[in-house]
Amino acid sequence: MIETVFTPFQSLGGGALIGLASVLLMATLGRVMGATGILAGLMQPANLSDWSWRAAVLGGMISGPIAVLLMTGQLPAVQVPVSTTMLVVGGFIVGVGVTFGSGCTSGHGVCGMARLSPRSIAATLTFMLTTGITVFVVRHILGA
Amino acid sequence: MRVLTSYLIGLIFGVGISISGMANPAKVLNFFDVAGTWDPSLAFVMGGALVVTFIGYRFILKRSAPFLSARFQLPTRRDLDLPLIGGSAVFGVGWGIAGFCPGGALPALGTGRTDVLVFVAALLGGIIAAKLLQAKLTNRAQAQA
């Protein structure tokens, strides 16, 4: 386990930017800013125009840490306190879950919750609960 | 125009994720570790994102159409079903194991770290496996009908 510093202002500001991006994507393309949907649609695009906006959003996302590097002189912190096996197993499980659940933290947790969608509220409450249970089991029962 | 706009929106999202701490699994997992090294930052990320989106959507969705597209494409279903709840429950288990969610991991690719690539590759594997399974389940349901 790695101790992290409580960053209320950065987190609030970063969150506001995530919200701004969600509002702008709805205002311009009329789309939900969901990482799962954008990624899944890249693999099965309806047509070239549908593929190109998704690829551009993904390209912008990946440029985010580089923009932070240019502005602040350092890359954002990425600390991975789990093993490679846990990254692979966790990643696969996340992929299965978000596909059946039709969304993740961005699509359900931000965009859907902001529309007060009953499905997104139920999905968000469900994954927040199972994530909490999983972290407790992994850290305090299995001791990983 | 659509491509440039999309890129800039992705960039704002990526910078937001980077600043907020969502791209950092240590910070994400600590939010859920109330019994251990608790870091409440994630609540501020969700709070900031939700307030801005809630207010922004109120104005935007009053319009008849978005600026660069013919219509808004919003999910219309309101019913709760097993795939939604079961899938979300499964997603949480994976998020709790790895510490990355898709929205956090995609921008984190920009740091060039191998462990982020490993997670995203596994994520894509899971999405493809689930799509194949979904297609199989749909075929079976159609065969029975």
Side-chain angles (χ1 to χ4, degrees):
Chain A
M1 271 164 262
I2 302 170
E3 297 247 6
T4 51
V5 183
F6 177 44
T7 53
F9 299 110
Q10 284 102 305
S11 290
L12 196 63
L17 286 179
I18 295 166
L20 177 65
S22 307
V23 173
L24 289 175
L25 192 63
M26 187 59 72
T28 54
L29 301 191
R31 291 284 188 159
V32 169
M33 183 85 213
T36 297
I38 288 169
L39 194 60
L42 262 181
M43 294 191 284
Q44 289 178 313
N47 50 53
L48 180 64
S49 146
D50 183 62
W51 185 86
S52 60
W53 77 263
R54 294 168 190 276
V57 170
L58 179 62
M61 284 183 185
I62 295 173
S63 310
I66 299 154
V68 170
L69 173 68
L70 294 175
M71 288 185 284
T72 67
Q74 51 189 4
L75 282 169
V78 178
Q79 301 157 288
V80 180
V82 304
S83 66
T84 305
T85 309
M86 286 169 79
L87 280 180
V88 171
V89 172
F92 189 86
I93 294 175
V94 168
V96 172
V98 296
T99 304
F100 278 97
S102 321
C104 57
T105 328
S106 45
H108 281 314
V110 176
C111 297
M113 293 261 286
R115 292 194 304 123
L116 304 177
S117 150
R119 281 173 63 85
S120 291
I121 294 169
T124 307
L125 291 176
T126 303
F127 66 67
M128 293 302 276
L129 179 70
T130 56
T131 309
I133 293 170
T134 305
V135 171
F136 183 80
V137 169
V138 168
R139 290 195 169 180
H140 300 285
I141 295 179
L142 303 176
Chain B
M1 187 65 190
R2 281 168 61 102
V3 169
L4 178 65
T5 306
S6 302
Y7 177 80
L8 291 174
I9 291 171
L11 182 63
I12 295 171
F13 185 89
V15 170
I17 290 284
S18 300
I19 296 174
S20 70
M22 286 297 290
N24 188 351
K27 216 165 162 57
V28 170
L29 291 173
N30 280 349
F31 173 74
F32 291 99
D33 195 7
V34 181
T37 50
W38 192 46
D39 176 354
S41 303
L42 208 77
F44 288 72
V45 184
M46 289 288 279
L50 265 177
V51 167
V52 171
T53 310
F54 184 85
I55 296 170
Y57 272 16
R58 287 296 158 289
F59 288 98
I60 297 303
L61 295 174
K62 270 190 198 141
R63 296 176 48 88
S64 56
F67 290 98
L68 300 177
S69 194
R71 59 194 171 88
F72 293 110
Q73 301 204 22
L74 293 167
T76 49
R77 286 180 60 180
R78 296 177 68 83
D79 61 308
L80 308 182
D81 60 356
L82 182 64
L84 175 80
I85 303 300
S88 298
V90 168
F91 161 45
V93 172
W95 194 18
I97 291 173
F100 279 119
C101 61
L106 295 179
L109 282 172
T111 61
R113 292 175 58 107
T114 316
D115 43 14
V116 184
L117 259 177
V118 167
F119 173 85
V120 172
L123 170 71
L124 289 174
I127 292 176
I128 292 166
K131 293 254 182 217
L132 293 174
L133 186 60
Q134 275 180 333
K136 209 168 215 178
L137 293 173
T138 311
N139 284 342
R140 189 178 298 169
Q142 279 168 350
Q144 282 171 349

